[in-house]
Amino acid sequence: MASRIEDYALLSDLHTGALIGCDGSLDWLCFPRFDSPSVFTALLGTERNGRWLMAPADPGARILSRSYRGSTFVLETVWETGSGTVKVVEFMPVGERCSTLVRRIVGVTGSVDMAQEIIIRPGYGKVLPWVRRVKDAAGTHAIVAVAGPDAIVLRGDQLPQAIDHKHGGTFTVEAGDTVDQELSWYASHRPIPAPLDIDTELAATVAYWEDWASQCSRDGKYAPMVERSLLVLRALTHDDTGGIVAAPTTSLPEDFGGARNWDYRYCWLRDAALTLEAMLTHGYENEALKWRNWLLRAVAGDPEDLQIVYGLSGERELTEGVLEHLRGYEGSLPVRIGNGAVGQYQADVVGEVMVALEKLRLAGGKEDHFSWPLQLAMLKFVERHLTQKDHGIWEMRGDVQYFTHSRVMMWAAFDCGVRAVRNHKLKGRAAHWEKIRDRLRTEILAHGFNKERNTFTQTYGGTATDASLLVIPQVGFVAYDSPEMMGTVAAMEAELVDSHGLILRYQSASGLDGLSPGEHPFLACSFWLVEQYAHTGRREEAVALMDKLTGLANDLGLLSEEYSMEDARMVGNYPQAFSHLALVRAADALHGTEALSLSAEAAGAEAADAERAEASSTLPQPHESMGT
């Protein structure tokens, strides 16, 4: 049985990611890319679907500590047994092109018997590879597994033995010993890659992550969580293409045992646009520009072919299918690969992209012969689809609607176009866009705002709310403290905020999404609520909710998509970029409003001092009152 979601650590080499549980079992790894078929799939099945266990053989062993080394994705776990302690150091070398994962076991005290078991199953845990022992060109013994285009080579000081279609065994580590295991993927038609110098690769990987983190601008109480969240976003970015996956996993359920299981190993324009904003805010202009270039390549062509989600390199074919041979995480079926949302029309996406690119312009990013014409084409696309209903930000699989959030983001798209011309002197139809923008505003206030209930609504003419409405002031449609938003927040607190203070995306029992009801509070939306509170003088509530949310992160600072307070466990794909993006935004809001408050207090104190000084200067001086 797979571990609880929050028990997993993420490793990344900026091409793919691995999940390793507190029990020392590597249960999920796709080679060589995030969206490649997995070679270890126990996360969604059983150990027979592939895993790599490395842990003390003593069943009474316990973890003394588990953490990333500084600001890196080098995982260090200290185990204690009745006979001694060991440290396990695990990482994926960054900068190498061979997709490798290293596990180093260091004896600390006494002696510890370590157990290992490796079951390699390419093709999402379905394919039994041909496995053999070889001696490579360097004279090093290795285990090689080949299946079709994929080949895996395992090298190490203590190679396991073949046991009934798997490899396993034990070995002893004494104090002062170091035992290395190196697992690498390579294309099966190529020669076995040379072994790595583990010391050199470890030092280089630590240096890379530490150097990247050192460039991060961060302040305030939540600075450590902001840094880790930005590191997660970087870890989920494909270094070659600049594509950012929503999560490195598929089919981790939004409702245990239910069917809300989706493949998130792709690049949503919305998530990527928000990542650009977060990176810009914290000093990563190069990453933002790299994402823009990915966007230009991905959406190039006829704007009518615009998609909401693409593959890592901009692939358009992401056909959704089901892996029938897997039993699903805790029995949650179906297990899906691909994503049917690729064919949906979501009217908000261009607005998200335009807002992000506006932020890039404000940060000094220059438009080129490709980027601005592309934005012009996207605005034409939005104009041609002005009257079309959509599936909304939550990718509803029910009937299309006029979603208020989507209409606001269409307004934001034209607003950004107008400001690009007016403020940045780019060429465009500003007057024409202004008319469309203003018509949209009138329409939204007439049909997306319920005057009787004093709230924006999920859909035109409806009465229910939706957490996506919290985005409305973020793009400037109304102020955070406008009467419309204050009424909307009050309605949400009554309808969507649960007894623990977390917020649902929407009322799934309405059937609007075309699925059976049942999901848990969505962490990104709860972070949006923190931002809303921070901007409307509800600082104490904002801090309390932020503390609660950051407290839901695991020991490594990682967050999933949702959280079940009743079960005290994470839910959904993990780690989730959207959750970490919203955390950064909420922390920025809290820090910014705190700075404004302190500035106002300082200005008030200065004014009071000046007033007292002026009053004092008008009083009789001592020598005058004493007649001296």
Side-chain angles (χ1 to χ4, degrees):
M1 183 174 174
S3 297
R4 290 162 65 101
I5 293 171
E6 59 268 24
D7 287 343
Y8 286 102
L10 171 71
L11 303 184
S12 171
D13 64 357
L14 305 180
H15 292 88
T16 188
L19 294 185
I20 300 176
C22 285
D23 58 356
S25 183
L26 195 169
D27 288 345
W28 181 255
L29 176 58
C30 300
F31 268 151
R33 300 197 332 175
F34 290 107
D35 56 355
S36 299
S38 55
V39 296
F40 297 119
T41 317
L43 180 69
L44 301 177
T46 72
E47 66 270 12
R48 293 190 299 275
N49 298 118
R51 72 159 180 173
W52 183 13
L53 174 70
M54 181 72 70
D58 182 355
R62 66 187 186 98
I63 292 178
L64 291 181
S65 66
R66 183 177 78 149
S67 64
Y68 289 124
R69 182 183 296 184
S71 301
T72 77
F73 282 95
V74 175
L75 182 67
E76 297 184 335
T77 307
V78 178
W79 292 87
E80 180 185 60
T81 71
S83 59
T85 57
V86 293
K87 177 190 290 186
V88 180
V89 180
E90 298 162 299
F91 70 101
M92 299 184 76
V94 174
E96 290 294 334
R97 306 300 303 218
C98 57
S99 296
T100 296
L101 191 146
V102 175
R103 309 183 89 166
R104 165 171 282 187
I105 303 92
V106 180
V108 180
T109 65
S111 66
V112 177
D113 291 334
M114 296 293 293
Q116 65 173 321
E117 178 183 76
I118 184 165
I119 305 171
I120 300 170
R121 292 291 184 272
Y124 295 106
K126 188 175 184 179
V127 178
L128 182 67
W130 175 44
V131 182
R132 69 194 191 278
R133 282 180 177 264
V134 301
K135 183 183 289 188
D136 63 20
T140 304
H141 287 275
I143 295 171
V144 174
V146 177
D150 300 303
I152 305 291
V153 57
L154 174 67
R155 296 184 178 87
D157 303 315
Q158 298 286 346
L159 288 178
Q161 300 299 312
I163 310 170
D164 189 24
H165 299 301
K166 62 184 178 182
H167 285 72
T170 61
F171 58 91
T172 301
V173 179
E174 305 285 350
D177 288 349
T178 296
V179 176
D180 290 329
Q181 300 278 20
E182 173 192 338
L183 184 84
S184 298
W185 175 93
Y186 65 100
S188 60
H189 64 279
R190 296 189 178 278
I192 298 173
L196 300 178
D197 183 319
I198 303 300
D199 289 333
T200 299
E201 295 299 332
L202 177 57
T205 299
V206 170
Y208 170 81
W209 288 114
E210 292 283 8
D211 178 67
W212 193 89
S214 70
Q215 302 169 49
C216 173
S217 59
R218 56 205 182 279
D219 295 293
K221 173 182 178 181
Y222 303 102
M225 284 298 294
V226 168
E227 179 188 86
R228 179 50 61 184
S229 292
L230 291 168
L231 283 163
V232 169
L233 297 175
R234 178 58 181 149
L236 298 182
T237 302
H238 192 267
D239 197 40
D240 291 343
T241 68
I244 302 162
V245 295
T249 56
T250 179
S251 298
L252 290 181
E254 296 173 14
D255 185 29
F256 295 118
R260 294 172 179 264
N261 318 314
W262 316 110
D263 192 347
Y264 276 17
R265 298 171 301 146
Y266 305 113
C267 306
W268 271 257
L269 293 187
R270 181 186 301 109
D271 292 24
L274 295 172
T275 300
L276 181 150
E277 288 190 51
M279 291 295 184
L280 275 176
T281 302
H282 292 274
Y284 292 104
E285 290 84 0
N286 288 338
E287 279 74 7
L289 287 169
K290 193 167 186 177
W291 172 83
R292 189 192 72 173
N293 293 337
W294 174 87
L295 170 74
L296 297 177
R297 296 192 304 272
V299 305
D302 188 343
E304 289 302 315
D305 296 329
L306 182 72
Q307 297 181 181
I308 63 164
V309 57
Y310 295 86
L312 281 167
S313 298
E315 295 90 345
R316 294 171 179 265
E317 294 296 327
L318 307 178
T319 305
E320 187 173 297
V322 173
L323 299 177
E324 301 282 1
H325 66 282
L326 295 172
R327 71 180 189 184
Y329 183 86
E330 296 192 9
S332 303
L333 293 173
V335 173
R336 293 182 171 93
I337 55 171
N339 201 301
V342 69
Q344 288 188 351
Y345 169 58
Q346 294 177 19
D348 68 300
V349 169
V350 171
E352 307 279 5
V353 172
M354 293 294 292
V355 168
L357 293 177
E358 169 71 8
K359 297 283 179 66
L360 186 57
R361 281 193 293 271
L362 291 171
K366 302 297 183 183
E367 302 290 358
D368 59 25
H369 66 284
F370 194 170
S371 61
W372 178 241
L374 181 67
Q375 292 168 71
L376 293 175
M378 286 194 290
L379 287 173
K380 288 181 181 178
F381 171 84
V382 178
E383 185 174 351
R384 283 196 295 270
H385 292 268
L386 270 178
T387 61
Q388 184 175 338
K389 297 178 179 180
D390 78 312
H391 293 91
I393 183 175
W394 308 128
E395 300 174 357
M396 303 296 203
R397 299 202 173 199
D399 295 336
V400 291
Q401 306 281 338
Y402 286 126
F403 287 96
T404 300
H405 166 265
S406 296
R407 307 300 286 179
V408 169
M409 293 311 301
M410 294 171 79
W411 172 92
F414 290 109
D415 186 54
C416 289
V418 169
R419 285 186 283 113
V421 175
R422 302 283 193 231
N423 301 340
H424 299 278
K425 309 306 179 185
L426 296 170
K427 293 183 179 179
R429 304 176 66 193
H432 177 65
W433 297 333
E434 280 178 329
K435 291 179 181 178
I436 299 174
R437 180 193 65 184
D438 294 344
R439 285 203 308 268
L440 276 168
R441 181 178 185 83
T442 300
E443 170 204 300
I444 291 163
L445 292 174
H447 302 289
F449 186 82
N450 187 303
K451 293 181 180 178
E452 288 73 25
R453 297 197 64 218
N454 190 35
T455 179
F456 285 106
T457 55
Q458 181 181 33
T459 59
Y460 277 9
T463 58
T465 56
D466 181 314
S468 66
L469 301 173
L470 291 167
V471 175
I472 292 176
Q474 294 178 11
V475 297
F477 185 81
V478 296
Y480 287 94
D481 60 354
S482 67
E484 295 88 353
M485 274 311 299
M486 300 299 272
T488 301
V489 171
M492 284 185 190
E493 289 172 329
E495 292 178 7
L496 300 180
V497 174
D498 67 9
S499 59
H500 303 284
L502 304 187
I503 190 168
L504 298 167
R505 291 186 293 179
Y506 52 88
Q507 292 286 359
S508 63
S510 69
L512 194 64
D513 60 11
L515 299 166
S516 299
E519 67 168 19
H520 299 278
F522 201 73
L523 293 178
C525 297
S526 295
F527 283 117
W528 289 346
L529 189 57
V530 169
E531 180 176 351
Q532 175 67 30
Y533 285 164
H535 284 289
T536 53
R538 301 173 67 175
R539 183 170 184 82
E540 187 173 329
E541 293 165 278
V543 170
L545 181 54
M546 187 70 171
D547 289 344
K548 179 179 294 183
L549 290 166
T550 54
L552 300 180
N554 71 356
D555 54 325
L556 301 171
L558 306 180
L559 290 166
S560 64
E561 182 178 20
E562 300 177 4
Y563 197 89
S564 170
M565 295 297 286
E566 291 74 19
D567 301 316
R569 59 181 305 193
M570 293 186 184
V571 186
N573 283 304
Y574 165 91
Q576 173 70 259
F578 210 21
S579 297
H580 286 280
L581 283 165
L583 182 154
V584 172
R585 189 176 180 104
D588 289 346
L590 281 168
H591 181 63
T593 54
E594 179 184 39
L596 285 173
S597 177
L598 291 174
S599 177
E601 288 178 12
E606 185 177 339
D609 288 344
E611 186 176 338
R612 283 193 295 270
E614 183 178 352
S616 175
S617 68
T618 63
L619 293 174
Q621 295 301 309
H623 67 277
E624 294 173 344
S625 62
M626 293 172 65
T628 57

